[in-house]
Amino acid sequence: MKALIIGGDKRQEYMYTFLRRKGVECDYVKSEEQKNILNNIADYDTIVLPVPLSRDGKTVYCTDKKLILNTDDVLKKLMGYQTVISGNIPLQSLPSGITVKDLLSDEAFVVFNAFLTAQGALCLLLENTQEYLVGKNFLVTGFGRVSKTLCKVLEQNGARISVSVRKQKDYITAQSLGYD
């Protein structure tokens, strides 16, 4: 396998380092200076794009803004024998024959990712405070997958949780779970 990782954030960097350590031949396009690698995109079996692919519907997501790539331009360069891994991939923009792994359409991935995100939020909280969680009050905004998971993790650590929501169904769900 020869992989090309494009754009993204620290997760993409970590993946690149991890794959290299495992002996996988791969390259990583993360800055304007490396864009020329895209001219040889046909040399790669697997293309790993950010999750989500784009936040604005036009450019490949990249947190550090050192790389600005038009999403359609990148997708048009792909070949029918390649595998593309990303999230929220516009299938109509892909050439035929491409194998697509859209992580955001994989419910197991999305649920596990919510757990990891909630866990990361808790780690940041614990790293940046000298306080303990038992008996502390927390306000969690929203009640999507990540927020629900965060509420549960905080609750398991003895915190009291209030939830701020917009939807009536989320309010009723939060109340039924014992959150204010």
Side-chain angles (χ1 to χ4, degrees):
M1 176 175 93
K2 186 172 179 184
L4 178 61
I5 301 168
I6 302 171
D9 54 24
K10 292 285 184 194
R11 296 172 295 178
Q12 303 284 92
E13 280 188 47
Y14 177 82
M15 183 182 352
Y16 171 71
T17 303
F18 177 82
L19 291 173
R20 294 292 297 226
R21 280 193 205 134
K22 294 290 183 182
V24 175
E25 187 179 353
C26 61
D27 291 306
Y28 181 25
V29 178
K30 62 180 178 176
S31 68
E32 290 291 318
E33 295 80 34
Q34 298 166 316
K35 275 173 114 170
N36 64 328
I37 293 173
L38 296 175
N39 295 331
N40 300 319
I41 202 165
D43 295 343
Y44 299 89
D45 307 305
T46 304
I47 312 300
V48 182
L49 292 158
V51 178
L53 172 61
S54 178
R55 296 251 170 137
D56 63 8
K58 297 174 186 170
T59 58
V60 174
Y61 176 62
C62 191
T63 54
D64 59 15
K65 306 299 181 210
K66 292 180 184 172
L67 178 67
I68 300 172
L69 291 171
N70 180 287
T71 303
D72 287 337
D73 291 346
V74 172
L75 297 178
K76 286 176 187 170
K77 291 182 183 214
L78 299 175
M79 308 301 281
Y81 55 84
Q82 293 174 312
T83 298
V84 177
I85 303 168
S86 186
N88 291 338
I89 304 167
L91 299 178
Q92 70 280 5
S93 299
L94 295 174
S96 64
I98 289 187
T99 303
V100 175
K101 179 63 176 168
D102 192 323
L103 297 175
L104 294 178
S105 66
D106 179 342
E107 188 66 20
F109 173 84
V110 172
V111 170
F112 188 63
N113 189 59
F115 171 75
L116 293 176
T117 302
Q119 190 176 48
L122 183 60
C123 286
L124 284 171
L125 172 70
L126 294 173
E127 286 173 3
N128 291 291
T129 183
Q130 300 297 318
E131 301 289 325
Y132 47 87
L133 301 179
V134 175
K136 298 293 182 207
N137 297 311
F138 288 88
L139 174 63
V140 177
T141 57
F143 209 57
R145 287 183 181 98
V146 174
S147 296
K148 287 176 187 171
T149 306
L150 182 58
C151 287
K152 189 66 177 169
V153 170
L154 288 169
E155 180 182 50
Q156 290 170 340
N157 283 279
R160 292 188 299 261
I161 298 116
S162 296
V163 179
S164 174
V165 297
R166 289 183 285 173
K167 299 176 189 167
Q168 182 69 16
K169 72 175 185 90
D170 289 339
Y171 174 76
I172 292 169
T173 303
Q175 290 285 302
S176 72
L177 293 172
Y179 307 127
D180 294 332

